[in-house]
């Protein structure tokens, strides 16, 4: 059974956490851009909304439309190939460019890239998302000098209102200047339009394909070790660690364990990623494997199912045991190093549990140390929640992302630090804890991830236009390509970004 079939049954599509759904009799599985254009033209004639959905990994209702409108399942749009050199400017003809259809999963893309001798530039911790879903919602990985996934995009092939087929590039794009069309797609060269469509929330039309600039194959070495939070803070403030490695990720136990490794401090797991451009000639046996716990969680769904059920059960019956559970998990994730081709290291495993999590994730400006203060405040908040028998059941996470020109990406115009506070789905205090963390981070000037929990923006307490400095220009361009609201989602209406 494909992921699309698992999410779509009996005329109802649901995201993976089953908190948001669409019911419709009008669903389509197009195989080419002509069929997409016909669907859009019909939707406009019948005054319907049309949206494409992916794997449903977003925790927000970003994909959701009103019932009985048009739904596109892009499962048959799954081809990957090298870009024809003759269409490219001379300076790009030897570059690792690939053409990727929108329904391609990141896992499938990685397999095809391996066959071509390439590697993905960046990705999140799992790989079941469609490439268009990951790009359109601003999915990222970690590395202060590494862009989010949308940073790979060099051209966007989109079918928009009136059935127009456009290939959108930067003003100084990749296609030969003499080229007006690439196949049936008219080439539009405009920085503002390109940057608005990079992270688009599906609001500009139906993405057909991308041209991505990936990497020649490279390898990564991951290392995981633990330190107390008091030692980690000055390391982060100095930025030395962050600039030394290709990527750094940190997760923190919001609780102190008196009988733990650091009885007077919070345990932190630091993950570093070091780049190796050539395949290591000599491998220690242990370098071929991530730690045993991570390997098992990453590859066996039954183990993930048992883990998820156990965490949910214990959080409801014995919530006070969650601090020890987090502590044990962090200690078990230590290792001496893991080497492999890039995408295998970037894939973090634990997919079963990650599909059954709920999360808010908020970006802060990397130039100041405000995010370190925010984490201290989240730790204090955890202590307050604890008094009401509400416990985090997952660690607080920190990741870093390079600045972007995508108009509504949280990293628009600045390097950022993402802070996230995940909770296991349907566990004790799940929504209350996430809401309290999101409120705290918004009050400290953070910008929330579009694909995560962000319901606090629905009301009048926070102004989305003030939070996202590129939103005004994005909205004005979106209205050009979506004049009838054909591609507008409920999420866009709730967030007041239509």
């Amino acid at each position: 059974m494909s992921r699309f079939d698992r999410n779509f049954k009996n005329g109802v599509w649901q995201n993976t956490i089953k908190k948001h759904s669409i019911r419709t009799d009008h669903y389509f599985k197009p195989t080419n851009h002509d069929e997409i254009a016909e669907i859009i033209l019909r939707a406009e004639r019948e005054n319907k909304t049309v949206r494409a959905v992916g794997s449903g990994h977003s925790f927000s209702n970003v994909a959701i439309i009103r019932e009985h409108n048009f739904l596109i399942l892009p499962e048959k749009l799954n081809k990957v190939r090298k870009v024809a050199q003759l269409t490219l400017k001379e300076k790009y003809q030897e570059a690792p460019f690939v053409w990727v259809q929108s329904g391609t999963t990141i896992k499938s893309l990685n397999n095809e890239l391996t066959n071509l001798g390439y590697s993905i530039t960046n990705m999140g911790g799992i790989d079941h998302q469609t490439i268009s879903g990951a790009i359109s919602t601003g999915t990222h990985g970690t590395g202060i000098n590494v862009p989010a996934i949308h940073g790979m995009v060099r051209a966007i092939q989109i079918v928009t209102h009136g059935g127009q087929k456009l290939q959108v590039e930067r003003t100084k794009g990749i296609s030969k200047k003499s080229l007006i069309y690439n196949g049936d797609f008219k080439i539009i060269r405009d920085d503002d339009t390109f940057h608005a469509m990079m992270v688009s929330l599906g609001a500009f039309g139906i993405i057909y394909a991308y041209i991505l600039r990936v990497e020649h194959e490279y390898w990564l070495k991951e290392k995981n070790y633990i330190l107390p939070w008091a030692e980690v803070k000055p390391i982060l403030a100095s930025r030395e660690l962050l600039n030394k490695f290709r990527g750094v990720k940190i997760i923190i136990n919001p609780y102190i364990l008196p009988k733990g490794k650091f009885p007077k401090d919070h345990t932190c797991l630091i993950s570093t990623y070091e780049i190796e451009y050539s395949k290591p000639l000599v491998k220690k046996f242990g370098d071929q494997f991530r730690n045993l716990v991570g390997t098992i969680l990453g590859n066996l769904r039954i183990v993930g199912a048992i883990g998820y059920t156990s965490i949910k059960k214990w959080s409801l019956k014995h919530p006070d045991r969650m601090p020890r559970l987090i502590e044990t998990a962090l200690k078990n994730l230590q290792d001496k190093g893991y080497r492999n081709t890039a995408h295998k290291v970037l894939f973090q495993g634990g997919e079963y549990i990650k599909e059954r999590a709920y999360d808010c994730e908020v970006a802060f400006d990397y130039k100041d140390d405000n995010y370190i203060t925010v984490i201290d405040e989240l730790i204090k908040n955890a202590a307050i929640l604890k008094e009401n028998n509400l416990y985090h059941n997952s660690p607080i996470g920190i990741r870093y992302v390079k600045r972007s020109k995508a108009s509504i990406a949280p990293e628009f115009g600045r390097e950022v630090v993402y802070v996230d506070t995940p909770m296991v789905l349907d566990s004790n205090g799940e929504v209350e804890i996430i809401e309290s963390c999101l409120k705290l981070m918004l009050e400290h000037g953070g910008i929330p991830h579009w694909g995560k929990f962000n319901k606090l923006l629905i009301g009048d307490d926070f102004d989305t236009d003030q939070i996202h400095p590129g939103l005004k220009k994005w909205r004005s361009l979106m209205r050009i390509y979506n004049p009838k609201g054909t591609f507008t989602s409920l999420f866009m209406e709730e967030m007041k970004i239509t």
Side-chain angles (χ1 to χ4, degrees):
M1 179 183 291
S2 72
R3 181 165 300 279
F4 291 97
D5 291 332
R6 278 163 41 197
N7 288 3
F8 186 74
K9 294 180 181 179
N10 302 319
V12 177
W13 180 88
Q14 299 182 96
N15 65 344
T16 53
I17 62 173
K18 296 180 170 47
K19 283 189 178 286
H20 304 291
S21 62
I22 306 169
R23 180 180 296 278
T24 183
D25 298 323
H26 305 290
Y27 62 92
F28 309 88
K29 298 181 180 181
T31 60
N32 56 56
H33 50 70
D34 288 327
E35 291 176 9
I36 295 174
E38 289 173 7
I39 295 164
I40 291 172
L41 289 170
R42 178 181 166 187
E44 291 179 337
R45 287 196 303 271
E46 298 180 19
N47 199 27
K48 297 282 189 181
T49 302
V50 58
R51 298 277 293 182
V53 293
S55 67
H57 180 63
S58 291
F59 299 152
S60 72
N61 61 339
V62 64
I64 304 301
I65 55 178
R66 299 189 188 280
E67 290 191 347
H68 306 301
N69 280 277
F70 289 7
L71 192 67
I72 290 179
L73 304 171
E75 61 187 87
K76 295 180 180 179
L77 302 174
N78 56 11
K79 295 180 178 62
V80 179
R81 63 173 182 253
K82 282 188 177 182
V83 175
Q85 290 185 335
L86 292 176
T87 66
L88 299 172
K89 292 179 179 176
E90 186 175 352
K91 66 179 178 179
Y92 296 123
Q93 289 183 3
E94 300 302 322
F97 283 5
V98 291
W99 178 83
V100 184
Q101 286 188 306
S102 59
T104 306
T105 64
I106 293 173
K107 182 177 181 178
S108 295
L109 172 61
N110 283 328
N111 291 337
E112 292 297 327
L113 292 180
T114 297
N115 293 335
L116 295 170
Y118 297 155
S119 289
I120 198 165
T121 303
N122 207 354
M123 57 179 274
I126 56 177
D127 58 10
H128 70 256
Q129 309 105 304
T130 58
I131 188 66
S132 56
I135 289 172
S136 295
T137 56
T139 298
H140 58 88
T142 189
I144 199 62
N145 298 308
V146 185
I149 293 180
H150 64 261
M152 296 186 292
V153 177
R154 294 297 180 269
I156 304 163
Q157 291 187 340
I158 187 170
V159 188
T160 187
H161 80 98
Q164 297 178 86
K165 300 166 190 172
L166 307 176
Q167 177 168 311
V168 182
E169 305 179 4
R170 293 185 175 94
T171 302
K172 296 180 179 180
I174 61 172
S175 298
K176 289 181 176 178
K177 288 184 179 179
S178 59
L179 210 61
I180 300 174
Y181 282 85
N182 184 3
D184 290 337
F185 287 83
K186 182 180 180 180
I187 297 176
I188 304 294
R189 299 176 177 90
D190 180 71
D191 281 344
D192 289 342
T193 304
F194 178 79
H195 295 143
M197 284 190 183
M198 286 172 76
V199 177
S200 66
L201 309 180
F204 285 71
I206 304 300
I207 304 292
Y208 175 66
Y210 295 100
I211 294 176
L212 305 181
R213 199 285 186 190
V214 292
E215 311 296 327
H216 294 287
E217 189 171 19
Y218 68 98
W219 288 259
L220 289 173
K221 179 180 179 180
E222 174 190 273
K223 185 177 179 181
N224 298 288
Y225 60 96
I226 60 173
L227 285 176
W229 177 229
E231 291 185 24
V232 173
K233 287 198 285 187
I235 291 173
L236 298 183
S238 73
R239 296 174 172 79
E240 181 179 346
L241 180 73
L242 305 175
N243 291 318
K244 180 180 178 181
F245 292 97
R246 184 262 187 207
V248 174
K249 179 183 71 176
I250 300 163
I251 53 177
I252 306 163
N253 190 342
Y255 306 102
I256 294 175
L257 273 291
K259 295 182 179 180
K261 174 75 173 178
F262 309 111
K264 295 183 179 180
D265 204 349
H266 302 269
T267 298
C268 304
L269 181 81
I270 299 178
S271 302
T272 59
Y273 303 89
E274 187 173 359
I275 195 166
E276 297 177 338
Y277 285 103
S278 60
K279 187 175 183 178
L281 296 177
V282 179
K283 272 188 178 182
K284 294 179 181 178
F285 180 77
D287 285 354
Q288 300 176 58
F289 306 98
R290 192 174 266 127
N291 60 75
L292 182 62
V293 173
T295 301
I296 293 173
L297 285 177
N299 293 288
L300 296 177
R301 285 184 68 82
I302 188 169
V303 175
I306 293 171
Y308 163 70
T309 303
S310 299
I311 295 170
K312 185 171 71 170
K313 176 181 176 182
W314 284 107
S315 77
L316 295 170
K317 290 190 174 182
H318 303 285
D320 58 314
R321 298 185 184 180
M322 293 300 102
R324 170 60 62 184
L325 181 148
I326 296 172
E327 189 80 1
T328 300
L330 297 190
K331 290 180 180 178
N332 286 339
L333 289 171
Q334 297 179 90
D335 59 26
K336 294 182 179 180
Y338 168 55
R339 282 185 172 93
N340 215 322
T341 189
H343 74 267
K344 291 186 178 180
V345 175
L346 295 174
F347 175 77
Q348 295 296 298
E351 187 170 339
Y352 187 94
I353 292 179
K354 288 175 181 175
E355 288 181 340
R356 290 155 181 83
Y358 211 23
D359 188 7
C360 72
E361 188 173 24
V362 181
F364 295 89
D365 196 327
Y366 172 67
K367 285 185 179 179
D368 59 46
D369 295 330
N370 180 41
Y371 79 96
I372 299 175
T373 302
V374 168
I375 292 166
D376 281 330
E377 291 298 317
L378 288 170
I379 288 171
K380 292 177 184 177
N381 186 59
I384 295 170
L385 292 166
K386 178 179 174 181
E387 295 175 0
N388 295 313
N389 211 32
L390 298 175
Y391 286 81
H392 288 258
N393 51 44
S394 299
I396 296 169
I398 310 173
R399 288 180 289 176
Y400 302 84
V401 181
K402 186 179 181 179
R403 72 173 60 208
S404 170
K405 292 184 178 181
S407 306
I408 60 170
E411 57 270 21
F412 172 66
R414 60 181 191 165
E415 281 78 29
V416 301
V417 184
Y418 276 95
V419 178
D420 71 300
T421 55
M423 289 287 291
V424 168
L425 194 64
D426 299 325
S427 58
N428 180 55
E430 164 209 347
V431 175
E432 295 93 329
I433 291 172
I434 292 174
E435 281 190 349
S436 68
C437 293
L438 178 58
K439 184 173 186 294
L440 185 157
M441 290 193 279
L442 288 173
E443 289 173 346
H444 278 78
I447 299 181
H449 190 303
W450 293 108
K452 302 297 181 74
F453 181 91
N454 42 41
K455 285 186 177 179
L456 295 185
L457 298 184
I458 293 175
D460 297 324
D461 292 339
F462 299 97
D463 187 335
T464 307
D465 280 83
Q466 288 187 354
I467 291 173
H468 286 276
L471 181 57
K472 183 177 180 180
K473 180 176 286 186
W474 181 91
R475 185 190 286 112
S476 65
L477 287 164
M478 181 271 294
R479 288 172 175 170
I480 294 173
Y481 293 91
N482 187 21
K484 298 180 178 180
T486 306
F487 312 110
T488 299
S489 66
L490 288 178
F491 176 83
M492 292 170 58
E493 294 175 1
E494 291 176 350
M495 294 292 158
K496 304 178 182 69
I497 60 175
T498 56

